[in-house]
Amino acid sequence: MTALKLLFIFPLIIIKINANFVITRYDDECVLDPALVTEIASYENVTKHIMDQIRDYYGKTMYQEYTRFIDKFGARPSGTWILEKSIDHMIDLTKQHGLYDVTTEELEVPYWLRLMESAIMLQPRVKKIAILGFGSSVSTPSGGIHAEVIVVRSFAELEKLDRTKVQGKIVVFNEPYVSYGETVIYRTQGASKAARKGAVATLVRSITPFSIYAPHTGAQYYESNVTKIPTAAITLEDADLLQRLQEEGEKIVLEIQMAYMEDTKKSRNTLVDLKGKESPEKLVIVSGHIDSWDVGEGAMDDGGGMMISWLVPVVLNSLNLKPRRTVRAILWTAEEPGLIGAQAYLKQHKDELDKINFIMESDEGTFQPLGLDVAGSNKTRCIVQEVLKQFAPINKMENSGAPGSDIVLFIKQNVPGASLLNRNERYYWFHHSEGDTMNVQNMTNVIECAAFWAAFSYVIADLSVDLPRN
Ligand SMILES: *[C@@H]1O[C@H](CO)[C@@H](O)[C@H](O)[C@H]1NC(C)=O
Ligand SMILES: *[C@@H]1O[C@H](CO)[C@@H](O)[C@H](O)[C@H]1NC(C)=O
Ligand SMILES: *[C@@H]1O[C@H](CO)[C@@H](O)[C@H](O)[C@H]1NC(C)=O
Ligand SMILES: *[C@@H]1O[C@H](CO)[C@@H](O)[C@H](O)[C@H]1NC(C)=O
Ligand SMILES: [Zn+2]
C-alpha cells in the first residue's frame, strides 16, 4: 500500500522533517516520508547522466532527425497519405535507433481537404481579404456568397441583436484575445451561434494575440440542430478594419468562395515501448501528436512535442537504463480534428487505466523548458514537486486542472498527468498558421526540453512507489 509511504499534515503546518532530520520550511502543505525523499534524491546522478548524454550527443541527433522529418513531410493533416508516410518513417526511425517494440493501433479519422478559398470586400472599397477555413467547415454554395457584413465583438453582442439584423448576413466575430482557452470558443462555436440567428457565413478574428496578416485555422464543431454555414478565420488586421468601417457607418459587402472535400480514412496511433524490468504492465506514458493542420509545417505544433516524447524510450534504451515500469511513447494521430486518436486509445484501453501510473504530453511548444503543469491528487503533486527539485531551475509546477490536449481525456478519468511548461508566450503567434515552421524552433531549447522530459519520466517510471490517486 503505497499511501503508507506518505504522510500528510494540514496547510497551517509548513515545516518538514528531512531524512537527515533537519527541519525546513516547505512551500506546500505536503510532507513526504523521509525514506521517499532520500530515494528521490538518489536519482540525482542518473538524471544528470541522462541530461548530459542528451545535451552532448543524443539531442543533436534527435534535432537533425526532427528537422529532416519536418523538411521531408511538412504538414501532416488527418486522413492524408503524407501523415501515414510520416508515421511509417517514425516506426523505421525507432528501429534504426535500436528499439523494436513499436506497434500501431488503427482507427478511423476525419479527412477534410481544403480545395479553394477566396474573399474580397466589394463595398465600401475593393480589397482582398485573407481567409483560412476552419476544419470541418462546409463549402459555400456554387457561385459563392455575396452578402452584407455585420461585425460583433462577443456572443453577448450577437444575442442582443434583432434576428432581422443578422439574417442573410456574414457575421464577423472581432472578439478580443484574452487567452487561447477562453477565446477559442469563437472559433469552435461561432458558426453555430451565428447560424441560429440566420447568418449565411461567419468570419472569425484569428485566435492569436499578434499578427503580421496571417489567418489561423483550427477545429470548429457544428451543433447537431443548426444549419451548417461556412466558417473561416480572418486576420487581426482585417477584423479591426471591418470593425472600424462599421463604426464609421459604412455598408460592408463581401464575396466569399470556399470549397472543401470531406471523407473518413484510416490512421494509426503509434506506441513505442521500453518494457519495464519489474512491472512491465504499469505504464508511464509520454506523448505528442504527429498530425498537424494543413498550413505551415507542423514543426511547433506538434513536431517538437512528438519528437521529444519519442526520444524518451529510445534514449533510455540506448543508455541501457530500464526503469521498473514500462515507458511508452505515444504519437497520437488526428489530434487536430478533435483528439480522435486519443479517444480511440481511451476506448480500446478503458480497462487498463489503473495501469497508467502517469501520462505526459508536450503540445504547447518546446521553447525553453520551465517545469510541469501537473494534474493529480495532492500526494501525487507532492511527489512530483520533490522530483522536480533536482531539475532546478526547470522546477516550476502549475495546476491548471487540464494539462495537455490529448491527455485531458485521461486526466478526466482520474489518471495523474502533466504537460510541459515552457517559455511559450509566442506560441499562439504561429499556432495553426503558415508561420509554424522550423524557424520558430531553437535547437538548444528543444534539446533542453528533451533532456528534462526524458530524465523526469525515467524517475517517475522507476520510483518504488506508484503515484497515488484520489
Ligand atoms: C553521485 O556521484 C558522485 C560523483 O560521481 C558521488 O560522489 C555521489 O556519491 C553520487 N551520489 C549518489 C546518491 O549516488
Ligand atoms: C439545439 O441544441 C442545443 C443542444 O445541443 C440546445 O441547447 C438548443 O436549444 C437547440 N436549439 C434549437 C433551436 O433547437
Ligand atoms: C489539496 O490541496 C489543496 C491546497 O493546495 C487543498 O485546498 C485541498 O483541500 C487538498 N485536497 C485534498 C483532497 O487533500
Ligand atoms: C537559442 O536559445 C539559446 C538559449 O536560450 C540562446 O542562447 C540562443 O541565442 C538562441 N538561438 C537563437 C538562434 O535564437
Ligand atoms: Zn497541437
Side-chain angles (χ1 to χ4, degrees):
M1 171 84 188
T2 57
L4 285 180
K5 277 218 144 193
L6 296 152
L7 174 72
F8 270 77
I9 53 174
F10 291 100
L12 279 179
I13 312 164
I14 49 164
I15 56 163
K16 142 176 179 279
I17 302 167
N18 263 347
N20 48 4
F21 305 108
V22 176
I23 296 174
T24 50
R25 285 200 150 254
Y26 203 65
D27 57 0
D28 206 340
E29 67 278 12
C30 63
V31 164
L32 295 174
D33 181 329
L36 183 55
V37 173
T38 308
E39 186 196 332
I40 290 171
S42 76
Y43 282 96
E44 209 161 310
N45 281 358
V46 68
T47 57
K48 187 176 179 308
H49 177 63
I50 295 169
M51 291 180 84
D52 285 347
Q53 288 288 314
I54 291 175
R55 284 173 182 138
D56 297 344
Y57 176 61
Y58 294 98
K60 290 183 182 113
T61 309
M62 174 207 69
Y63 199 80
Q64 276 167 9
E65 296 289 9
Y66 168 36
T67 308
R68 180 79 191 113
F69 175 85
I70 298 299
D71 291 346
K72 187 170 167 143
F73 300 105
R76 308 167 301 282
S78 170
T80 62
W81 170 87
I82 201 84
L83 172 61
E84 296 315 298
K85 283 289 173 195
S86 79
I87 293 170
D88 291 340
H89 177 93
M90 290 309 295
I91 294 167
D92 289 346
L93 198 62
T94 311
K95 292 175 182 167
Q96 275 170 36
H97 285 260
L99 189 53
Y100 296 89
D101 202 341
V102 45
T103 51
T104 56
E105 295 180 350
E106 202 175 82
L107 60 133
E108 292 215 319
V109 299
Y111 176 53
W112 176 83
L113 180 66
R114 201 185 297 277
L115 296 174
M116 191 274 287
E117 292 169 336
S118 78
I120 185 158
M121 180 166 73
L122 300 172
Q123 277 186 53
R125 64 179 162 97
V126 173
K127 184 195 182 290
K128 199 170 172 292
I129 304 281
I131 60 167
L132 190 58
F134 293 137
S136 84
S137 172
V138 294
S139 307
T140 53
S142 58
I145 289 173
H146 182 110
E148 209 178 308
V149 164
I150 182 156
V151 187
V152 295
R153 284 194 194 272
S154 66
F155 288 150
E157 202 177 306
L158 176 71
E159 288 317 310
K160 269 191 237 140
L161 289 172
D162 200 272
R163 195 182 163 83
T164 55
K165 289 236 171 195
V166 180
Q167 194 120 35
K169 288 191 182 151
I170 298 167
V171 168
V172 169
F173 288 106
N174 186 31
E175 77 290 342
Y177 182 86
V178 181
S179 68
Y180 184 74
E182 277 173 79
T183 313
V184 75
I185 53 170
Y186 286 90
R187 183 187 85 208
T188 57
Q189 305 171 18
S192 296
K193 296 243 196 271
R196 276 223 208 91
K197 283 271 192 176
V200 290
T202 56
L203 298 174
V204 182
R205 178 187 179 96
S206 291
I207 313 301
T208 174
F210 176 77
S211 172
I212 304 179
Y213 203 72
H216 297 235
T217 189
Q220 71 88 34
Y221 310 96
Y222 293 115
E223 282 169 24
S224 53
N225 52 3
V226 300
T227 308
K228 295 182 177 184
I229 59 171
T231 178
I234 54 172
T235 66
L236 307 197
E237 291 89 337
D238 282 338
D240 287 334
L241 170 66
L242 294 169
Q243 178 93 52
R244 287 197 306 277
L245 288 171
Q246 175 170 288
E247 283 162 10
E248 286 154 9
E250 300 284 357
K251 176 180 175 179
I252 310 165
V253 175
L254 251 62
E255 189 169 284
I256 59 178
Q257 304 216 29
M258 295 158 65
Y260 309 101
M261 206 187 81
E262 268 194 279
D263 203 349
T264 304
K265 302 273 183 185
K266 289 255 160 59
S267 187
R268 295 159 288 166
N269 284 322
T270 308
L271 283 44
V272 180
D273 281 4
L274 176 64
K275 285 282 172 346
K277 66 175 183 224
E278 262 179 32
S279 312
E281 75 291 354
K282 291 183 183 171
L283 297 172
V284 168
I285 295 174
V286 285
S287 65
H289 64 88
I290 190 165
D291 68 304
S292 75
W293 280 105
D294 57 340
V295 286
E297 308 274 342
M300 182 191 77
D301 184 9
D302 183 27
M306 183 275 290
M307 211 71 197
I308 65 164
S309 297
W310 168 82
L311 187 71
V312 178
V314 170
V315 81
L316 294 178
N317 183 55
S318 296
L319 292 171
N320 218 359
L321 285 168
K322 256 186 201 283
R324 287 189 168 94
R325 300 171 192 77
T326 293
V327 172
R328 170 171 293 172
I330 301 183
L331 319 184
W332 307 108
T333 194
E335 185 271 350
E336 296 294 4
L339 320 183
I340 310 300
Q343 285 182 44
Y345 185 92
L346 182 63
K347 199 170 161 196
Q348 187 166 341
H349 298 269
K350 192 122 197 140
D351 302 331
E352 309 152 30
L353 291 185
D354 58 326
K355 298 286 189 291
I356 305 176
N357 185 42
F358 203 57
I359 188 163
M360 295 160 61
E361 181 165 32
S362 165
D363 186 21
E364 284 121 54
T366 43
F367 302 94
Q368 186 190 320
L370 298 175
L372 295 173
D373 179 2
V374 184
S377 65
N378 285 0
K379 295 175 187 179
T380 283
R381 294 172 50 75
C382 206
I383 295 174
V384 168
Q385 186 172 311
E386 189 64 34
V387 175
L388 281 177
K389 277 185 186 168
Q390 61 190 263
F391 293 96
I394 314 173
N395 61 346
K396 194 171 164 190
M397 193 166 97
E398 279 184 6
N399 184 12
S400 73
S405 46
D406 299 277
I407 65 167
V408 164
L409 300 178
F410 300 82
I411 282 158
K412 279 187 190 153
Q413 303 290 321
N414 203 28
V415 177
S419 69
L420 178 66
L421 290 176
N422 63 106
R423 280 197 53 186
N424 66 350
E425 53 269 28
R426 294 184 178 183
Y427 184 77
Y428 292 105
W429 294 18
F430 308 102
H431 182 250
H432 298 180
S433 81
E434 291 289 0
D436 181 352
T437 68
M438 281 312 285
N439 283 41
V440 175
Q441 302 296 323
N442 172 313
M443 181 175 80
T444 312
N445 291 164
V446 176
I447 291 175
E448 204 54 24
C449 286
F452 167 65
W453 207 231
F456 175 83
S457 40
Y458 174 79
V459 178
I460 299 299
D462 196 57
L463 277 182
S464 64
V465 294
D466 290 336
L467 296 182
R469 301 187 186 189
N470 277 325

